[in-house]
Amino acid sequence: MTPVATLELRPGKERSLQRRHPWIYAGAVARVIGRPAPGDLVRVVGADQRFLAWAAFSPESTIRARAWSFLEHEIPDDAWLSARVAASVARRAHLTRRTDAIRLVFGEADSLPGLIVDRYADQLVVQLMAAGVDARREAIVDALVTATGASRVYERSDAASRQREGLPSREGALRGAVPVAAVDIIEDGVRYQVDVVRGHKTGFYIDQRDNRRRLAQLAAGKRVLNCFCYTGGFSLAALSAGAAAAWSIDSSAEALAVAKTQQALNSIDSPAHWIQGDVFDALKRFAADGQRFDLIVLDPPKFAPSVQHLDRATRAYKQLSLAALRLLEPDGRLLTFSCSGAVSVDLFQKVVAGAVIDARVDAQMLERLAAGEDHPVSMTHPEGEYLKGLLLARL
Ligand code: SAH
């Protein structure tokens, strides 16, 4: 593949690429030499014409190009792409001992900007969120099939990020048939059913795997409350590990229906209460009724899609943690999460500390929680970190 154009940066704007940050903002570009099409490979040079990176061109986005390689001799042709996909898949190979739901490629963190690939048993789900990976879709799918042996690949390219790239939203089968039924997966011995066509994200919150296991380790004989349960991942992990009973709340009737099916699939007999409704209201009701729990999970949706929403989001995170702390038995445990990238680990800890103070309880932080290792964070692209949580003990 020969690059069709050169992107020349303005003086002083080469620093972030030299520090291996993969994003080139429109404001850093002095001129484009040639006529690259969306997604085309471009050679990025500094004002002094020195090579900086090979990147994929995104004419519509404020992130005007995303760097794929910082080495001049490493031209990202199809063979390079295939090797990079294979390496990303190989890095996760050991996880197959625990699960067949694995994020195989996590965008910038795997040096494949804009590409998300999740595996559910024999089914792959691909999200092509940037012009560069969209233009190379055929080569990417070939590489994935070769690296995994999977026979089905379904595309679920997230609408919002594609819009920023000037790309239409796209869904459909790229290999094999469109999945008509949910895909069965097993994680740490628990069976789940993943609807890759209609489910959230690519169908399942793969990123919470280690935290489901952490909860399971604490669950034996306990009364568990799982807020924002979606299809009940945390609840099923806890019940399978011997929780005495679980109360799970979500506003989505469809998600709760899947949760109930999964409960049957795992032959769980302990009491499982699936409650459709608003978590904020339910927490008030539990408080009024004098209900108490040993273990509470708070895993709400992304309250802060961007920094503009930080104020409202931090208030909501605080309100939830405060209400949960008041419902915890002494020596109970709280797992509280935020998946908002705009809320830093430090800020989240401060917000939860505020809730502890207002709840007038003593609490210890036992652990910081994060997404599993198949959702790594690039050391040179810390913006990729999004899921954070705290495991607290109420004294
Ligand atoms: N904890 C889940 C993922 C949560 S996603 C898991 O591990 O699988 C967020 C969920 O919150 C969604 O299922 C959504 O339906 C639900 N939700 C959003 N706002 C809500 C509210 N105010 N009350 C109850 N559920 C809500």
Side-chain angles (χ1 to χ4, degrees):
M1 180 180 292
T2 40
V4 296
T6 296
L7 213 127
E8 186 186 306
L9 300 191
R10 295 181 22 204
K13 293 292 183 185
E14 51 289 285
R15 194 169 151 71
S16 109
L17 280 179
Q18 283 164 345
R19 295 171 62 80
R20 293 201 167 219
H21 190 283
W23 292 349
I24 300 152
Y25 285 99
V29 177
R31 56 189 185 127
V32 181
I33 304 148
R35 290 179 173 275
D40 270 355
L41 192 65
V42 292
R43 183 188 156 87
V44 186
V45 299
D48 58 3
Q49 302 303 311
R50 259 194 269 182
F51 174 87
L52 292 168
W54 299 109
F57 188 54
S58 288
E60 302 281 327
S61 173
T62 49
I63 303 175
R64 189 51 45 90
R66 287 175 169 77
W68 283 14
S69 155
F70 299 96
L71 302 173
E72 191 160 16
H73 65 270
E74 210 183 81
I75 302 173
D77 56 12
D78 285 356
W80 174 94
L81 195 59
S82 180
R84 199 156 266 198
V85 166
S88 190
V89 171
R91 278 194 287 276
R92 274 81 166 175
H94 62 286
L95 287 172
T96 54
R97 287 195 293 268
R98 279 179 65 191
T99 180
D100 49 8
I102 298 171
R103 174 148 295 187
L104 296 177
V105 180
F106 188 35
E108 276 73 354
D110 284 300
S111 308
L112 288 163
L115 178 63
I116 304 284
V117 183
D118 289 339
R119 172 171 205 159
Y120 299 107
D122 186 42
Q123 175 79 59
L124 303 186
V125 186
V126 173
Q127 296 184 311
L128 302 163
M129 323 259 253
V133 284
D134 190 68
R136 305 283 290 274
R137 55 174 54 234
E138 279 310 316
I140 288 168
V141 173
D142 284 345
L144 283 168
V145 169
T146 305
T148 62
S151 58
R152 291 157 172 263
V153 183
Y154 186 74
E155 175 175 9
R156 261 196 85 171
S157 295
D158 163 73
S161 36
R162 280 178 67 92
Q163 214 168 28
R164 286 192 289 275
E165 291 279 315
L167 298 167
S169 138
R170 256 181 98 151
E171 299 201 355
L174 298 174
R175 286 287 190 284
V178 175
V180 284
V183 182
D184 273 317
I185 59 129
I186 301 184
E187 177 194 278
D188 292 331
V190 183
R191 296 178 66 182
Y192 299 95
Q193 291 197 319
V194 180
D195 183 342
V196 302
V197 178
R198 281 167 297 269
H200 290 183
K201 308 222 292 182
T202 62
F204 190 61
Y205 287 83
I206 300 180
D207 52 2
Q208 290 285 21
R209 179 193 310 116
D210 289 348
N211 303 319
R212 281 187 284 272
R213 178 167 70 178
R214 195 70 191 90
L215 181 75
Q217 288 163 349
L218 300 167
K222 305 292 190 195
R223 286 161 56 90
V224 179
L225 174 61
N226 179 13
C227 302
F228 308 95
C229 70
Y230 183 47
T231 57
F234 281 109
S235 314
L236 295 163
L239 288 163
S240 300
W247 288 255
S248 312
I249 311 163
D250 201 280
S251 51
S252 160
E254 291 99 311
L256 293 172
V258 176
K260 284 178 205 167
T261 314
Q262 295 181 133
Q263 183 193 347
L265 205 64
N266 288 285
S267 312
I268 292 165
D269 305 322
S270 338
H273 310 278
W274 303 105
I275 302 158
Q276 191 197 346
D278 175 67
V279 165
F280 294 86
D281 292 345
L283 292 178
K284 281 183 203 140
R285 240 177 3 254
F286 284 133
D289 296 349
Q291 287 251 41
R292 293 293 178 272
F293 303 91
D294 304 306
L295 270 174
I296 301 181
V297 178
L298 294 173
D299 182 26
K302 199 194 308 185
F303 286 147
S306 71
V307 286
Q308 282 86 47
H309 304 82
L310 264 186
D311 259 7
R312 212 179 54 202
T314 52
R315 274 200 300 277
Y317 288 125
K318 179 173 172 185
Q319 190 186 341
L320 284 172
S321 288
L322 170 59
L325 284 162
R326 287 182 170 149
L327 294 177
L328 264 188
E329 296 280 10
D331 202 36
R333 302 280 185 271
L334 170 65
L335 287 81
T336 180
F337 295 96
S338 162
C339 62
S340 306
V343 177
S344 68
V345 173
D346 276 0
L347 175 59
F348 188 59
Q349 187 175 325
K350 285 196 185 101
V351 168
V352 177
V356 169
I357 293 162
D358 286 6
R360 298 166 184 270
V361 295
D362 283 319
Q364 296 173 329
M365 177 167 75
L366 302 180
E367 279 169 37
R368 290 199 171 91
L369 306 171
E373 64 177 287
D374 49 346
H375 295 66
V377 182
S378 163
M379 289 300 287
T380 56
H381 181 258
E383 297 93 320
E385 182 167 23
Y386 68 103
L387 181 63
K388 61 214 66 85
L390 299 174
L391 169 57
L392 298 189
R394 183 196 160 160
L395 303 189

